[in-house]
Amino acid sequence: MTDKATLSTAISRGLRRRCPACGEGHAFRGYLKVVDTCSHCQTPLGAYPCDDGPAYVTMLLVGHLVIAPMFAFEFFWNFPLQIVVPVTLTIMGALTLLLLPFIKGGFLGLIWHHGLKRFR
């Protein structure tokens, strides 16, 4: 491709789990596996390392979305601990699994835009 997408466009395409270069091809095969090359524009997406960063961002986001309200609202402290802990862990696990592929796509768009390829 001759014209490179803007940073916000690349990240938004990645958040939709599409190729950050063209926005047409799928960036993932399966749940979290990045395709080697885009089926539409042949961009080598497998060369962009996005392994641990998305997990850290997802955990940070989910922690703030779940744990912060627990400290902010007092009614959480009135429930028995045997109920609060399993419910909280279930919600955090489900949110993490739900958000991780989308955040990984956004991370892929960020890394692609900056051209941070993995050299093998």
Side-chain angles (χ1 to χ4, degrees), residues 35-114:
V35 296
D36 293 328
T37 58
C38 174
S39 61
H40 187 261
C41 68
Q42 305 309 316
T43 301
L45 296 177
Y48 297 96
C50 53
D51 301 325
D52 294 335
Y56 294 127
V57 172
T58 304
M59 289 187 294
L60 182 70
L61 181 66
V62 169
H64 281 86
L65 290 175
V66 175
I67 300 298
M70 289 182 66
F71 288 121
F73 300 114
E74 189 176 330
F75 69 86
F76 282 110
W77 300 102
N78 296 331
F79 288 107
L81 198 59
Q82 294 85 359
I83 295 174
V84 172
V85 171
V87 168
T88 302
L89 290 176
T90 303
I91 291 171
M92 288 181 69
L95 266 177
T96 300
L97 292 174
L98 177 74
L99 293 176
L100 184 58
F102 299 101
I103 292 176
K104 185 168 183 171
F107 209 81
L108 176 65
L110 175 71
I111 290 174
W112 171 83
H113 179 75
H114 291 296

